[in-house]
Amino acid sequence: ENIYEIQRLAYEIVQHEAIAFLEYVLDERGLPQRFGEMTHQVLRKALEEYSLAQVYRMIWQAARNASDYLVRNNVPKQQAANTVPRSIDSYMERAKANGWEVSAFRRNFNLPQSTLARVLFNQILGTDDGGFHTQINRLFVKEPKEACSQGDEE
């Protein structure tokens, strides 16, 4: 049905927003922005389990770690940037294993929500957060209908 296409589009949109934020935080730190399949895989995996706001936290933490690695170890910038996908994956795995509540970031005002995202998340899916604070899977879970009303209706 069309719901699967809508769900696929929702994941595609949040993945693009995650990549845009990753580009932004790496650029802030003067790190190169070359993303291979591993980066895309890690972000897809993260977005299947966490909201975009929580993934922003993981991205920011990974970029900060890469910047620290660069400064402390005097390594090439690309080498520091290459640590980002593994750092995100490691953060995500530790969070799951330890039952951490991953704190969410706010939407970056320098990276506004796209018109397509606004239409999909706010109008079609009826979210009030543009798909930012809600895990995508949860937007597509059908709520069980109440079995019966309070009385004994037959």
Side-chain angles (χ1 to χ4, degrees):
E1 195 178 311
N2 288 340
I3 194 72
Y4 298 111
E5 286 299 312
I6 293 171
Q7 187 173 15
R8 185 192 58 75
L9 179 60
Y11 272 110
E12 196 173 311
I13 288 170
V14 294
Q15 185 161 2
H16 283 289
E17 289 191 9
I19 289 288
F21 185 68
L22 178 55
E23 289 172 346
Y24 179 82
V25 296
L26 290 178
D27 186 55
E28 272 187 325
R29 291 162 176 81
L31 293 171
Q33 305 160 19
R34 285 186 239 151
F35 309 123
E37 185 53 34
M38 183 179 181
T39 303
H40 292 281
Q41 249 180 338
V42 166
L43 290 175
R44 272 192 300 273
K45 181 178 164 186
L47 290 164
E48 286 174 5
E49 305 209 17
Y50 296 95
S51 71
L52 181 58
Q54 291 170 308
V55 173
Y56 268 32
R57 163 70 63 191
M58 294 176 200
I59 290 169
W60 179 84
Q61 182 71 47
R64 187 178 76 174
N65 292 347
S67 182
D68 288 353
Y69 176 58
L70 171 72
V71 171
R72 290 183 180 146
N73 297 291
N74 198 27
V75 297
K77 287 183 177 187
Q78 186 61 54
Q79 184 176 336
N82 287 345
T83 66
V84 170
R86 285 186 302 277
S87 183
I88 293 169
D89 193 50
S90 175
Y91 185 104
M92 181 175 39
E93 293 302 324
R94 286 191 328 266
K96 281 193 308 189
N98 295 304
W100 296 344
E101 179 63 35
V102 178
S103 58
F105 257 39
R106 292 186 190 151
R107 187 176 290 278
N108 187 308
F109 70 90
N110 290 316
L111 300 170
Q113 184 183 32
S114 70
T115 301
L116 178 59
R118 264 194 310 279
V119 168
L120 178 66
F121 291 111
N122 297 14
Q123 295 175 354
I124 295 173
L125 295 174
T127 69
D128 60 355
D129 73 351
F132 191 68
H133 291 285
T134 306
Q135 183 185 350
I136 298 300
N137 285 340
R138 293 187 180 160
L139 295 175
F140 294 92
V141 173
K142 298 216 184 238
E143 294 293 322
K145 294 182 180 179
E146 290 185 30
C148 287
S149 63
Q150 310 303 349
D152 289 320
E153 299 176 9
E154 291 188 23

